[in-house]
PDB file of all heavy atoms in Angstrom:
ATOM      1  N   ASN N  18      84.106  91.708  73.226  1.00 98.00           N
ATOM      2  CA  ASN N  18      84.636  91.883  74.581  1.00 98.00           C
ATOM      3  C   ASN N  18      83.613  91.616  75.676  1.00 98.00           C
ATOM      4  O   ASN N  18      83.916  91.755  76.854  1.00 98.00           O
ATOM      5  CB  ASN N  18      85.194  93.298  74.753  1.00 98.00           C
ATOM      6  CG  ASN N  18      86.542  93.437  74.075  1.00 98.00           C
ATOM      7  OD1 ASN N  18      87.333  92.507  74.071  1.00 98.00           O
ATOM      8  ND2 ASN N  18      86.780  94.585  73.469  1.00 98.00           N
ATOM      9  N   ILE N  19      82.397  91.264  75.282  1.00 98.00           N
ATOM     10  CA  ILE N  19      81.351  91.010  76.286  1.00 98.00           C
ATOM     11  C   ILE N  19      81.480  89.581  76.819  1.00 98.00           C
ATOM     12  O   ILE N  19      81.504  88.616  76.060  1.00 98.00           O
ATOM     13  CB  ILE N  19      79.946  91.182  75.659  1.00 98.00           C
ATOM     14  CG1 ILE N  19      79.746  92.610  75.146  1.00 98.00           C
ATOM     15  CG2 ILE N  19      78.859  90.754  76.642  1.00 98.00           C
ATOM     16  CD1 ILE N  19      79.493  93.638  76.209  1.00 98.00           C
ATOM     17  N   TRP N  20      81.571  89.458  78.143  1.00 98.00           N
ATOM     18  CA  TRP N  20      81.599  88.151  78.809  1.00 98.00           C
ATOM     19  C   TRP N  20      80.391  88.040  79.743  1.00 98.00           C
ATOM     20  O   TRP N  20      79.895  89.052  80.242  1.00 98.00           O
ATOM     21  CB  TRP N  20      82.879  87.990  79.656  1.00 98.00           C
ATOM     22  CG  TRP N  20      84.143  87.735  78.894  1.00 98.00           C
ATOM     23  CD1 TRP N  20      84.658  88.493  77.872  1.00 98.00           C
ATOM     24  CD2 TRP N  20      85.068  86.667  79.099  1.00 98.00           C
ATOM     25  NE1 TRP N  20      85.858  87.954  77.441  1.00 98.00           N
ATOM     26  CE2 TRP N  20      86.128  86.840  78.174  1.00 98.00           C
ATOM     27  CE3 TRP N  20      85.119  85.590  79.987  1.00 98.00           C
ATOM     28  CZ2 TRP N  20      87.226  85.962  78.107  1.00 98.00           C
ATOM     29  CZ3 TRP N  20      86.207  84.714  79.927  1.00 98.00           C
ATOM     30  CH2 TRP N  20      87.250  84.898  78.991  1.00 98.00           C
ATOM     31  N   LEU N  21      79.980  86.807  79.983  1.00 98.00           N
ATOM     32  CA  LEU N  21      78.913  86.556  80.956  1.00 98.00           C
ATOM     33  C   LEU N  21      79.363  85.446  81.904  1.00 98.00           C
ATOM     34  O   LEU N  21      79.726  84.350  81.468  1.00 98.00           O
ATOM     35  CB  LEU N  21      77.618  86.143  80.235  1.00 98.00           C
ATOM     36  CG  LEU N  21      76.455  85.676  81.126  1.00 98.00           C
ATOM     37  CD1 LEU N  21      75.994  86.782  82.072  1.00 98.00           C
ATOM     38  CD2 LEU N  21      75.272  85.211  80.262  1.00 98.00           C
ATOM     39  N   LEU N  22      79.365  85.763  83.201  1.00 98.00           N
ATOM     40  CA  LEU N  22      79.725  84.777  84.225  1.00 98.00           C
ATOM     41  C   LEU N  22      78.503  84.563  85.120  1.00 98.00           C
ATOM     42  O   LEU N  22      77.797  85.532  85.431  1.00 98.00           O
ATOM     43  CB  LEU N  22      80.879  85.300  85.096  1.00 98.00           C
ATOM     44  CG  LEU N  22      82.322  85.056  84.643  1.00 98.00           C
ATOM     45  CD1 LEU N  22      82.566  85.547  83.230  1.00 98.00           C
ATOM     46  CD2 LEU N  22      83.304  85.719  85.602  1.00 98.00           C
ATOM     47  N   CYS N  23      78.292  83.339  85.543  1.00 97.00           N
ATOM     48  CA  CYS N  23      77.189  83.127  86.480  1.00 97.00           C
ATOM     49  C   CYS N  23      77.670  82.274  87.644  1.00 97.00           C
ATOM     50  O   CYS N  23      78.706  81.614  87.571  1.00 97.00           O
ATOM     51  CB  CYS N  23      75.987  82.483  85.801  1.00 97.00           C
ATOM     52  SG  CYS N  23      76.145  80.707  85.546  1.00 97.00           S
ATOM     53  N   GLY N  24      76.911  82.326  88.722  1.00 97.00           N
ATOM     54  CA  GLY N  24      77.228  81.551  89.912  1.00 97.00           C
ATOM     55  C   GLY N  24      76.335  80.325  89.994  1.00 97.00           C
ATOM     56  O   GLY N  24      75.652  80.111  90.981  1.00 97.00           O
ATOM     57  N   ASP N  25      76.346  79.540  88.921  1.00 96.00           N
ATOM     58  CA  ASP N  25      75.579  78.294  88.847  1.00 96.00           C
ATOM     59  C   ASP N  25      74.081  78.515  89.004  1.00 96.00           C
ATOM     60  O   ASP N  25      73.372  77.652  89.518  1.00 96.00           O
ATOM     61  CB  ASP N  25      76.079  77.265  89.873  1.00 96.00           C
ATOM     62  CG  ASP N  25      75.708  75.833  89.468  1.00 96.00           C
ATOM     63  OD1 ASP N  25      75.654  75.561  88.252  1.00 96.00           O
ATOM     64  OD2 ASP N  25      75.454  75.011  90.358  1.00 96.00           O
ATOM     65  N   LEU N  26      73.613  79.669  88.565  1.00 94.00           N
ATOM     66  CA  LEU N  26      72.173  79.925  88.541  1.00 94.00           C
ATOM     67  C   LEU N  26      71.845  80.569  87.205  1.00 94.00           C
ATOM     68  O   LEU N  26      72.682  81.264  86.625  1.00 94.00           O
ATOM     69  CB  LEU N  26      71.757  80.828  89.705  1.00 94.00           C
ATOM     70  CG  LEU N  26      71.802  80.132  91.071  1.00 94.00           C
ATOM     71  CD1 LEU N  26      71.673  81.148  92.189  1.00 94.00           C
ATOM     72  CD2 LEU N  26      70.718  79.073  91.183  1.00 94.00           C
ATOM     73  N   GLY N  27      70.619  80.321  86.741  1.00 90.00           N
ATOM     74  CA  GLY N  27      70.219  80.841  85.432  1.00 90.00           C
ATOM     75  C   GLY N  27      69.826  79.717  84.500  1.00 90.00           C
ATOM     76  O   GLY N  27      69.784  79.886  83.283  1.00 90.00           O
ATOM     77  N   PHE N  28      69.521  78.549  85.088  1.00 89.00           N
ATOM     78  CA  PHE N  28      69.097  77.382  84.312  1.00 89.00           C
ATOM     79  C   PHE N  28      67.867  77.740  83.475  1.00 89.00           C
ATOM     80  O   PHE N  28      66.938  78.342  83.980  1.00 89.00           O
ATOM     81  CB  PHE N  28      68.768  76.227  85.272  1.00 89.00           C
ATOM     82  CG  PHE N  28      68.359  74.951  84.597  1.00 89.00           C
ATOM     83  CD1 PHE N  28      69.300  74.183  83.925  1.00 89.00           C
ATOM     84  CD2 PHE N  28      67.045  74.527  84.614  1.00 89.00           C
ATOM     85  CE1 PHE N  28      68.935  72.998  83.298  1.00 89.00           C
ATOM     86  CE2 PHE N  28      66.664  73.347  83.993  1.00 89.00           C
ATOM     87  CZ  PHE N  28      67.616  72.579  83.326  1.00 89.00           C
ATOM     88  N   SER N  29      67.921  77.376  82.203  1.00 89.00           N
ATOM     89  CA  SER N  29      66.863  77.642  81.219  1.00 89.00           C
ATOM     90  C   SER N  29      66.776  79.124  80.844  1.00 89.00           C
ATOM     91  O   SER N  29      65.843  79.545  80.178  1.00 89.00           O
ATOM     92  CB  SER N  29      65.488  77.139  81.684  1.00 89.00           C
ATOM     93  OG  SER N  29      64.892  78.053  82.574  1.00 89.00           O
ATOM     94  N   VAL N  30      67.745  79.912  81.315  1.00 90.00           N
ATOM     95  CA  VAL N  30      67.758  81.334  80.963  1.00 90.00           C
ATOM     96  C   VAL N  30      69.025  81.680  80.182  1.00 90.00           C
ATOM     97  O   VAL N  30      68.977  82.324  79.134  1.00 90.00           O
ATOM     98  CB  VAL N  30      67.685  82.209  82.237  1.00 90.00           C
ATOM     99  CG1 VAL N  30      67.741  83.694  81.879  1.00 90.00           C
ATOM    100  CG2 VAL N  30      66.422  81.912  83.023  1.00 90.00           C
ATOM    101  N   LEU N  31      70.170  81.232  80.684  1.00 94.00           N
ATOM    102  CA  LEU N  31      71.448  81.668  80.126  1.00 94.00           C
ATOM    103  C   LEU N  31      71.935  80.804  78.955  1.00 94.00           C
ATOM    104  O   LEU N  31      72.906  81.159  78.289  1.00 94.00           O
ATOM    105  CB  LEU N  31      72.533  81.668  81.217  1.00 94.00           C
ATOM    106  CG  LEU N  31      72.255  82.561  82.433  1.00 94.00           C
ATOM    107  CD1 LEU N  31      73.439  82.543  83.382  1.00 94.00           C
ATOM    108  CD2 LEU N  31      71.943  83.987  82.015  1.00 94.00           C
TER     109      LEU N  31
END
Side-chain angles (χ1 to χ4, degrees):
Chain N
N18 284 324
I19 299 284
W20 285 54
L21 173 62
L22 273 54
C23 79
D25 203 32
L26 288 168
F28 182 72
S29 81
V30 178
L31 301 184

